[in-house]
Amino acid sequence: MKTEPLRILVAEDSPTARRLLVEILRTDPALAVVGEAKDGLEAVDLCQRLQPALVTMDIQMPRMDGLDATRRIMTEVPTPVVVVSTLVERDIQTSMAALRAGALAVLQKPVGPESPDFEADSRRLRDTLKAMAQVKVVRRWPDRAATPTPHQETTPTPAFRAPAVLAMAASTGGPAALYRILSDLGGQATPPPPILLVQHIALGFGNGLATWLGTATKLRVKVAEDGEPLTPGTVYLAPDDKHLGVTQDHRAQVSGAAPIQGFRPSANWLFRSVARAYGQTALAVVLTGMGQDGLDGIRDLHQAGGRVIAQDEATSVVYGMPAVVVGANLAHEVLPLGQIARRLLALLQPGVRTP
């Protein structure tokens, strides 16, 4: 049976750039451009009327920019959005804001056939759109803080030992989730133990992601350096195209070892090393993301006596990484995004023995 092409809406104010994007997409029979928008308002309107499989979104546009248009689309007619903009390299903070607004990915806009990277950039664009079009997006996450619900236990809770480290991993939808969690973790009188993060993201975004996440919290957020001691109150982010782990004497371990299941940094690498170094004092959180990176590492951490929290399906942009952990009965708790930080605070505070 013939598969229907993916229906794409292109939002771009420059006629030249819009025509280039349309031609790039039309070279792939699996993609079909069904609409073109000159600004954010038109993008929202066409998205409501055409119901495309995915929207490519520029950021700087008249009447309504791409950030506001993405927020409206995710509120009114949830549809996968991929930002394609020249601002990706020049303004990392704006790119991160686009992810927080609900975009699934951000890509540099191809500059034209005269560029030596044109074919590679065009192929990356088409491949990303095909992957992101399969994501079942959700409406903007509600604020659940005012209406807490009991946390869901999926495996027996281990004998409690105060965590000495927090390891978190995410993929699609992760930057916004991490931003929200960190914004709620940094206001305590006593700093939390070291926090290690693996986020699947495009090359060149590591430093910008660290800077952006740093605006959300009073905690120190930095890209990890090999061999540095892990200190409380500091968030360590895996560098671009490097694994992040910890040594037995609790120092950051940055490695260029081969990718694991196609990922570098790898959540499996992080969780396995944390399990070896911390055992029962390890606390892990698996957040929204595509695929199953982290499952094997979480299995090791669970067996070592560490505690595992998984984000729930309702608040995950993509219920892949947390789903496989929950499905394998490795999550001690499954929580909506809005409750994860509060639960972490209860577990991480010195002297607290929360079951």
Side-chain angles (χ1 to χ4, degrees):
M1 184 173 67
K2 184 178 179 180
T3 303
E4 292 297 320
L6 293 171
R7 305 172 71 254
I8 309 295
L9 169 64
V10 174
E12 165 64 58
D13 66 315
S14 164
T16 301
R18 189 167 64 249
R19 179 52 44 200
L20 177 63
L21 286 174
V22 170
E23 292 306 318
I24 289 173
L25 300 185
R26 283 179 174 166
T27 62
D28 191 327
L31 304 173
V33 177
V34 296
E36 301 178 31
K38 299 182 295 296
D39 56 55
L41 278 177
E42 189 174 14
V44 175
D45 177 65
L46 288 177
C47 195
Q48 292 170 330
R49 292 197 285 115
L50 299 176
Q51 300 286 305
L54 182 140
V55 181
T56 70
M57 185 73 72
D58 191 19
I59 293 179
Q60 290 184 327
M61 293 186 292
R63 294 206 300 165
M64 178 183 290
D65 66 22
L67 299 181
D68 285 338
T70 297
R71 293 188 191 98
R72 279 197 54 184
I73 288 171
M74 296 309 298
T75 299
E76 299 173 15
V77 53
T79 306
V81 174
V82 172
V83 166
V84 182
S85 173
T86 56
L87 289 180
V88 168
E89 288 185 350
R90 292 188 287 110
D91 188 349
I92 297 294
Q93 298 305 303
T94 299
S95 298
M96 295 298 105
L99 294 176
R100 193 179 182 206
L104 296 180
V106 289
L107 294 175
Q108 178 70 19
K109 189 182 299 181
V111 295
E114 68 280 2
S115 168
D117 298 324
F118 178 71
E119 289 301 326
D121 291 343
S122 299
R123 184 169 55 254
R124 185 180 305 111
L125 171 63
R126 292 189 295 263
D127 290 347
T128 299
L129 297 189
K130 284 187 276 190
M132 294 300 105
Q134 307 307 315
V135 174
K136 183 181 179 181
V137 295
V138 297
R139 293 186 187 275
R140 295 299 295 158
W141 292 317
D143 185 358
R144 297 169 180 244
T147 56
T149 58
H151 60 267
Q152 178 184 345
E153 299 278 356
T154 63
T155 69
T157 301
F160 184 82
R161 294 188 62 184
V165 69
L166 169 59
M168 297 195 288
S171 183
T172 309
L178 291 169
Y179 191 98
R180 179 164 182 178
I181 290 171
L182 293 178
S183 69
D184 293 334
L185 285 182
Q188 307 304 305
T190 303
I195 300 172
L196 290 85
L197 305 181
V198 160
Q199 166 66 55
H200 299 158
I201 199 164
L203 287 177
F205 278 87
N207 288 319
L209 177 60
T211 300
W212 181 68
L213 291 175
T215 66
T217 179
K218 294 180 180 178
L219 301 174
R220 181 188 183 208
V221 182
K222 68 184 300 294
V223 175
E225 300 174 60
D226 189 47
E228 66 176 315
L230 300 181
T231 59
T234 303
V235 180
Y236 301 89
L237 181 69
D240 279 343
D241 199 29
K242 292 288 192 299
H243 294 303
L244 173 62
V246 294
T247 62
Q248 291 297 321
D249 60 349
H250 299 170
R251 293 176 178 271
Q253 179 192 58
V254 174
S255 172
I260 299 175
Q261 297 176 352
F263 294 106
R264 187 172 63 197
S266 161
N268 279 321
W269 181 288
L270 173 63
F271 291 140
R272 279 174 168 159
S273 71
V274 166
R276 289 192 299 266
Y278 288 91
Q280 289 182 313
T281 61
L283 174 59
V285 178
V286 184
L287 297 168
T288 172
M290 188 180 297
Q292 58 181 27
D293 184 30
L295 174 61
D296 295 335
I298 284 292
R299 184 174 286 110
D300 288 356
L301 190 144
H302 190 280
Q303 290 174 350
R307 190 182 187 103
V308 179
I309 295 174
Q311 186 176 350
D312 73 352
E313 181 175 9
T315 62
S316 293
V317 173
V318 184
Y319 197 53
M321 288 168 58
V324 294
V325 170
V326 174
N329 293 319
L330 297 174
H332 297 103
E333 302 175 73
V334 182
L335 299 173
L337 178 65
Q339 293 184 29
I340 290 177
R342 184 166 62 249
R343 184 60 174 156
L344 293 176
L345 288 172
L347 293 169
L348 294 173
Q349 287 305 299
V352 176
R353 294 295 179 266
T354 304

